[in-house]
Amino acid sequence: MDISCLKFYFFALMELLILNGPNLNLLGRREPETYGNTSFDDYLESLKKKYGNIDFTYYQSNIEGEIIDKLHEVGFSYDGIILNAGAYTHTSIGIGDAVKAIETPTIEVHISNVYNREEYRHHSYVSKNAAGIIVGFGLKGYELAVQSFLKS
């Protein structure tokens, strides 16, 4: 195989960022009746195995500014962003503005059905600027977001 074929292979790989916000580092231990028993690291490994043609980057932060910085960092070069901003979804105008400011399409994901929960969770500062929203399907929502990028 000559080098031009290798270059094409590397450029053909889809790059997706999965970006999780506050408290999602506790998945598998935190409120298993709402969020399940699987850690995100374990779930991510299953996604990587199932979608070997995708270069997944994973980032989690409990700090709003770090989430905004990560959106700015990859928001003009990646093929897609899967964002679960956690509680910042309902409070952060800054994260919503960051999604609006970047070019990379962003899918908003929530593990639980936020509309079956407290009233304040029914509002999102991200949704208006997201390419799509997936709520209530557990961790499967991340895979649904991956599939949406593969079909676009």
Side-chain angles (χ1 to χ4, degrees):
M1 179 183 288
D2 70 3
I3 193 152
S4 62
C5 291
L6 288 175
K7 285 182 182 178
F8 176 76
Y9 172 78
F10 286 116
F11 288 112
L13 199 63
M14 179 179 276
E15 289 184 297
L16 296 180
L17 169 67
I18 298 176
L19 179 55
N20 277 341
N23 301 311
L24 293 168
N25 56 307
L26 299 178
L27 287 175
R29 298 182 285 167
R30 170 190 179 211
E31 302 175 66
E33 66 282 354
T34 301
Y35 299 105
N37 296 311
T38 304
S39 74
F40 197 81
D41 289 336
D42 289 344
Y43 182 73
L44 181 59
E45 285 307 309
S46 70
L47 278 181
K48 287 178 178 179
K49 286 179 186 172
K50 188 169 185 176
Y51 297 97
N53 59 329
I54 297 176
D55 182 13
F56 287 102
T57 300
Y58 175 59
Y59 187 79
Q60 186 280 327
S61 179
N62 295 317
I63 301 170
E64 181 179 17
E66 290 180 358
I67 294 168
I68 293 168
D69 287 345
K70 185 55 81 171
L71 287 165
H72 292 175
E73 177 186 325
V74 306
F76 297 90
S77 59
Y78 275 51
D79 297 300
I81 297 170
I82 300 167
L83 172 63
N84 184 341
Y88 286 139
T89 301
H90 322 293
T91 63
S92 178
I93 295 169
I95 291 174
D97 285 350
V99 171
K100 183 178 182 180
I102 62 176
E103 294 174 357
T104 300
T106 301
I107 303 292
E108 179 182 355
V109 171
H110 296 284
I111 296 167
S112 67
N113 182 346
V114 294
Y115 300 100
N116 283 341
R117 299 184 66 193
E118 302 89 348
E119 184 73 26
Y120 69 87
R121 295 185 193 274
H122 299 182
H123 180 268
S124 168
Y125 285 103
V126 174
S127 296
K128 182 177 181 181
N129 303 308
I133 306 158
I134 301 169
V135 299
F137 290 96
L139 292 175
K140 178 79 171 168
Y142 292 90
E143 183 176 359
L144 294 171
V146 169
Q147 291 173 1
S148 76
F149 285 118
L150 290 173
K151 291 180 181 179
S152 55

mmCIF file of all heavy atoms in Angstrom, residues 72 75-76 95-104 129:
data_model
loop_
_atom_site.group_PDB
_atom_site.id
_atom_site.type_symbol
_atom_site.label_atom_id
_atom_site.label_comp_id
_atom_site.label_asym_id
_atom_site.label_seq_id
_atom_site.Cartn_x
_atom_site.Cartn_y
_atom_site.Cartn_z
ATOM 1 N N HIS A 72 -14.670 25.228 22.360
ATOM 2 C CA HIS A 72 -13.897 26.133 21.494
ATOM 3 C C HIS A 72 -12.732 25.398 20.834
ATOM 4 O O HIS A 72 -12.427 25.638 19.661
ATOM 5 C CB HIS A 72 -13.344 27.303 22.301
ATOM 6 C CG HIS A 72 -14.390 28.249 22.796
ATOM 7 N ND1 HIS A 72 -14.090 29.300 23.613
ATOM 8 C CD2 HIS A 72 -15.727 28.314 22.598
ATOM 9 C CE1 HIS A 72 -15.190 29.969 23.901
ATOM 10 N NE2 HIS A 72 -16.204 29.384 23.290
ATOM 11 N N GLY A 75 -14.410 22.750 18.252
ATOM 12 C CA GLY A 75 -15.623 23.160 17.567
ATOM 13 C C GLY A 75 -15.481 23.658 16.150
ATOM 14 O O GLY A 75 -16.472 24.055 15.533
ATOM 15 N N PHE A 76 -14.262 23.626 15.617
ATOM 16 C CA PHE A 76 -14.056 24.023 14.230
ATOM 17 C C PHE A 76 -13.319 22.943 13.446
ATOM 18 O O PHE A 76 -12.996 23.148 12.277
ATOM 19 C CB PHE A 76 -13.287 25.353 14.162
ATOM 20 C CG PHE A 76 -14.049 26.492 14.778
ATOM 21 C CD1 PHE A 76 -13.902 26.801 16.115
ATOM 22 C CD2 PHE A 76 -14.955 27.222 14.017
ATOM 23 C CE1 PHE A 76 -14.634 27.832 16.697
ATOM 24 C CE2 PHE A 76 -15.682 28.263 14.581
ATOM 25 C CZ PHE A 76 -15.525 28.557 15.927
ATOM 26 N N ILE A 95 -22.381 28.054 28.061
ATOM 27 C CA ILE A 95 -22.257 26.816 27.286
ATOM 28 C C ILE A 95 -23.181 26.880 26.070
ATOM 29 O O ILE A 95 -22.788 26.502 24.957
ATOM 30 C CB ILE A 95 -22.520 25.573 28.155
ATOM 31 C CG1 ILE A 95 -21.379 25.410 29.171
ATOM 32 C CG2 ILE A 95 -22.665 24.317 27.295
ATOM 33 C CD1 ILE A 95 -21.574 24.310 30.191
ATOM 34 N N GLY A 96 -24.383 27.381 26.255
ATOM 35 C CA GLY A 96 -25.283 27.558 25.106
ATOM 36 C C GLY A 96 -24.686 28.469 24.050
ATOM 37 O O GLY A 96 -24.745 28.178 22.858
ATOM 38 N N ASP A 97 -24.079 29.575 24.495
ATOM 39 C CA ASP A 97 -23.429 30.496 23.554
ATOM 40 C C ASP A 97 -22.232 29.851 22.862
ATOM 41 O O ASP A 97 -21.980 30.110 21.685
ATOM 42 C CB ASP A 97 -22.981 31.766 24.275
ATOM 43 C CG ASP A 97 -24.124 32.708 24.601
ATOM 44 O OD1 ASP A 97 -25.256 32.484 24.102
ATOM 45 O OD2 ASP A 97 -23.888 33.669 25.365
ATOM 46 N N ALA A 98 -21.489 29.012 23.578
ATOM 47 C CA ALA A 98 -20.330 28.331 22.981
ATOM 48 C C ALA A 98 -20.777 27.374 21.881
ATOM 49 O O ALA A 98 -20.149 27.302 20.821
ATOM 50 C CB ALA A 98 -19.529 27.589 24.051
ATOM 51 N N VAL A 99 -21.856 26.651 22.108
ATOM 52 C CA VAL A 99 -22.389 25.756 21.072
ATOM 53 C C VAL A 99 -22.821 26.568 19.858
ATOM 54 O O VAL A 99 -22.578 26.170 18.716
ATOM 55 C CB VAL A 99 -23.552 24.894 21.630
ATOM 56 C CG1 VAL A 99 -24.252 24.121 20.521
ATOM 57 C CG2 VAL A 99 -23.036 23.939 22.708
ATOM 58 N N LYS A 100 -23.416 27.716 20.088
ATOM 59 C CA LYS A 100 -23.840 28.586 18.987
ATOM 60 C C LYS A 100 -22.647 29.139 18.210
ATOM 61 O O LYS A 100 -22.708 29.305 16.988
ATOM 62 C CB LYS A 100 -24.673 29.744 19.540
ATOM 63 C CG LYS A 100 -25.227 30.662 18.479
ATOM 64 C CD LYS A 100 -26.078 31.763 19.096
ATOM 65 C CE LYS A 100 -26.664 32.653 18.022
ATOM 66 N NZ LYS A 100 -27.488 33.718 18.618
ATOM 67 N N ALA A 101 -21.545 29.397 18.903
ATOM 68 C CA ALA A 101 -20.385 30.055 18.298
ATOM 69 C C ALA A 101 -19.540 29.131 17.429
ATOM 70 O O ALA A 101 -18.791 29.602 16.575
ATOM 71 C CB ALA A 101 -19.499 30.664 19.391
ATOM 72 N N ILE A 102 -19.636 27.832 17.623
ATOM 73 C CA ILE A 102 -18.785 26.901 16.889
ATOM 74 C C ILE A 102 -19.481 26.401 15.625
ATOM 75 O O ILE A 102 -20.680 26.572 15.457
ATOM 76 C CB ILE A 102 -18.344 25.723 17.787
ATOM 77 C CG1 ILE A 102 -19.553 24.910 18.266
ATOM 78 C CG2 ILE A 102 -17.507 26.236 18.966
ATOM 79 C CD1 ILE A 102 -19.204 23.667 19.073
ATOM 80 N N GLU A 103 -18.694 25.776 14.749
ATOM 81 C CA GLU A 103 -19.230 25.246 13.492
ATOM 82 C C GLU A 103 -19.603 23.775 13.582
ATOM 83 O O GLU A 103 -20.452 23.304 12.835
ATOM 84 C CB GLU A 103 -18.206 25.445 12.376
ATOM 85 C CG GLU A 103 -17.950 26.900 12.050
ATOM 86 C CD GLU A 103 -16.839 27.090 11.041
ATOM 87 O OE1 GLU A 103 -16.198 26.096 10.619
ATOM 88 O OE2 GLU A 103 -16.592 28.258 10.662
ATOM 89 N N THR A 104 -18.945 23.035 14.457
ATOM 90 C CA THR A 104 -19.178 21.596 14.568
ATOM 91 C C THR A 104 -20.586 21.327 15.094
ATOM 92 O O THR A 104 -20.970 21.887 16.118
ATOM 93 C CB THR A 104 -18.140 20.959 15.512
ATOM 94 O OG1 THR A 104 -16.834 21.182 14.973
ATOM 95 C CG2 THR A 104 -18.372 19.467 15.670
ATOM 96 N N ASN A 129 -29.412 25.788 20.207
ATOM 97 C CA ASN A 129 -28.228 25.818 19.347
ATOM 98 C C ASN A 129 -27.740 24.433 18.937
ATOM 99 O O ASN A 129 -26.769 24.317 18.196
ATOM 100 C CB ASN A 129 -27.115 26.597 20.046
ATOM 101 C CG ASN A 129 -27.577 27.999 20.390
ATOM 102 O OD1 ASN A 129 -28.068 28.725 19.541
ATOM 103 N ND2 ASN A 129 -27.450 28.363 21.658
#
